[in-house]
Amino acid sequence: MNKELFKEKVYLKYEKEMNRKKSGTHKIFKMVAMIMITLLATTGVVFAGAKIYENYIKKEDEIASRGLFDRGDGITTYEIDLMVNDMIWNSEPKLYHKIITNIDDYHIYKERVNELPDLTDKDFEENFVVIIANENVRDFDEKDLHIYNVYAEKDTTYIILKQKENPDETNESNIWYAIVDKSQLRDNIKVEIEHRIPESEDFINIEELPENYSIEDAIKDGCLVENQNEVLSNNPNAIEEFMNKAERGENCFIRVYSKSNAFIKITDVEFENGIYYTYSDYSKSEIAYDRQSICKAYKYLVKKEADDLTRYIFTNDKPDIESWEGNPLVSIRY
Amino acid sequence: MDESKTLYKEFLKGKKEAFDQIMDLYAENLVYFIQRYVRNVDVAQDIAQDVFVYILLHKEKYNFKYSLKTYLYTIGKTRALNYLKREKRIVELKEDMVYDVDKELEEFIFNDENKRNLKQAMNKLSREYQIIIYLADIEELKYKDICKILNKTLSQVKMMIYRARKKLKEILSKEGEDFYE
């Protein structure tokens, strides 16, 4: 590429643009555009927001009413529960979904959920509607969700929900919808909740670690390494130092490699703004597990000493209450 | 502060030479990046020029939060996609599709032996995978920057990189090369 020619063209285009602005044509164009936008807005456009190529969602929102569950009287029975009778259950992440591709199906749902936007037969030529419903009590990191992304890869449409920025943990909305470009509709539907994955510039992705990632490799990479409750890595106090930093409110990160016989768990923990974001991987274990990884956020990391072990446990219950539930990070014999 | 940010500050003070240096630093790679989308070197150059014109016209818009490269690539990607949309060329491109490439530019980008081995295999990947491999392994950008450019979440980017590398590895293995070993 001829760099000088490239630069010359940039400056020529710039000058041209400046001249165009000065001549006033730009202003006229702007004025015409403004008039057209106003006209469009006043003649009633079905979908809010401009279509962006990579964002196939044309409109999305939450639904406050309980229309899917009952008929507005608060009484839910199996017969009238549209969610159980018509929607498809996704055991992971425990959400129902419904894909509506025609006006007839749409009317059934519209009758029960009036908050759905008004759509016509023509709208379904280019779009489909996704409805997601939740009936479970969700942890704090899965409250106040919204449909964040819908996209297709090969034969699967992915529907991604994500917690809103500055989430309201008291938001009880359990139904969401999105109007999506039909180009993204495939035979298989996968519903996922996007969690924040802990990250550090000092470590490569857990998924990219080799299958035979060993204790020696983990020590070399700077992980806290524990085998049968004994710390093998150079700094046995790494977890304590991590907790101290978190207590002072400092952002910090630790990767813990735990081995117990054939079981290997690698966990990334990032502390930021009072939350512990974790990602645990089990895929390196020598025995197969149902789940290869779990991504979860917690409010507390608690230290419990019992017998000769010090246990470090994540929990979302206030740890000063009588009984609380938690997920162990690591147990160490000092 | 990295060199490009220092140069940008000079440019903000009105030094044209600083802007020339910014173009010297990023023009070729930006053209190559845009080319992954538009598949035509002339169009890619045209769009890359427009990116720099945009910078000249709206110099105050860069807020130094991300690297200048990330900022340029983000604008470049948006403009490339707008071009595709305008041209109604949003179609899945066949894996074996041959497209117009500036050979000299390609030599500049794939400037070492390892990267050169990647070149042929990359062309067999889907466009989406080519772009992510280019950003992660050729440009060696941080994940956060890739997220910003592609407007995707960290986990989406990580998953895409993982899948793209896996696919690339398969292609390279078939051809007797192994960049990732």
Side-chain angles (χ1 to χ4, degrees), chain A residues 1-7 9-11 13-14 17-18 21 51-56 148-149 151 153-154 158 160 162 192 194-195 197-201 203-208 268 270, chain B residues 16 19-20 23-24 27-28 31 45-46 48-50 52-53 56-58 77 81 85 90 102 104-105 127-129 142-144 150-156 158-163 165:
Chain A
M1 191 178 85
N2 186 329
K3 276 189 190 178
E4 293 312 311
L5 186 64
F6 181 92
K7 285 192 266 187
K9 281 188 177 175
V10 168
Y11 287 119
K13 280 185 176 183
Y14 172 65
E17 187 62 24
M18 291 303 282
K21 277 188 172 183
K51 184 185 169 187
I52 304 163
Y53 169 71
E54 279 218 327
N55 185 1
Y56 299 101
Y148 169 72
N149 198 3
Y151 65 96
E153 270 187 24
K154 291 185 179 167
Y158 292 87
I160 312 293
K162 194 178 172 183
E192 293 176 356
E194 170 85 35
H195 293 94
I197 296 181
E199 64 166 337
S200 165
E201 298 292 345
F203 293 88
I204 65 164
N205 290 337
I206 290 182
E207 311 92 78
E208 289 175 36
D268 279 351
E270 186 184 9
Chain B
K16 181 182 167 289
F19 189 71
D20 282 346
M23 285 199 280
D24 284 339
E28 282 170 314
V31 170
Q45 283 193 15
D46 197 42
Q49 286 157 8
D50 289 346
F52 286 109
V53 172
L56 281 169
L57 289 167
H58 308 280
K77 185 205 79 166
L81 291 175
K85 194 178 156 192
I90 307 165
D102 184 330
E104 194 191 328
L105 185 60
R127 182 175 55 183
E128 193 182 36
Y129 284 174
K142 290 176 182 174
Y143 288 131
K144 274 181 184 167
L150 299 182
N151 192 24
K152 289 188 184 295
T153 64
L154 185 67
S155 60
Q156 281 176 300
K158 281 183 172 183
M159 192 47 74
M160 273 176 73
I161 292 174
Y162 173 72
R163 288 178 188 152
R165 282 178 179 161

Side-chain angles (χ1 to χ4, degrees), chain A residues 34 43 53 63 101 112 125 134 210 230 259 289 299 326:
Chain A
M34 285 297 287
T43 50
Y53 169 71
I63 290 165
T101 56
R112 298 281 291 269
E125 287 172 13
N134 168 56
E230 304 293 336
K259 190 171 190 304
Y289 284 88
K299 290 180 177 173

Side-chain angles (χ1 to χ4, degrees), chain B residues 51-77:
Chain B
V51 172
F52 286 109
V53 172
Y54 177 86
I55 300 285
L56 281 169
L57 289 167
H58 308 280
K59 56 175 85 167
E60 74 295 339
K61 284 204 174 176
Y62 175 54
N63 60 11
F64 294 89
K65 192 178 163 192
Y66 291 92
S67 72
L68 183 58
K69 184 191 258 187
T70 302
Y71 184 59
L72 291 169
Y73 279 32
T74 307
I75 302 169
K77 185 205 79 166

Side-chain angles (χ1 to χ4, degrees), chain A residues 270-288:
Chain A
E270 186 184 9
F271 178 83
E272 196 180 299
N273 296 330
I275 308 286
Y276 295 90
Y277 299 95
T278 76
Y279 180 82
S280 298
D281 175 278
Y282 305 93
S283 65
K284 309 292 180 284
S285 292
E286 288 152 28
I287 42 175

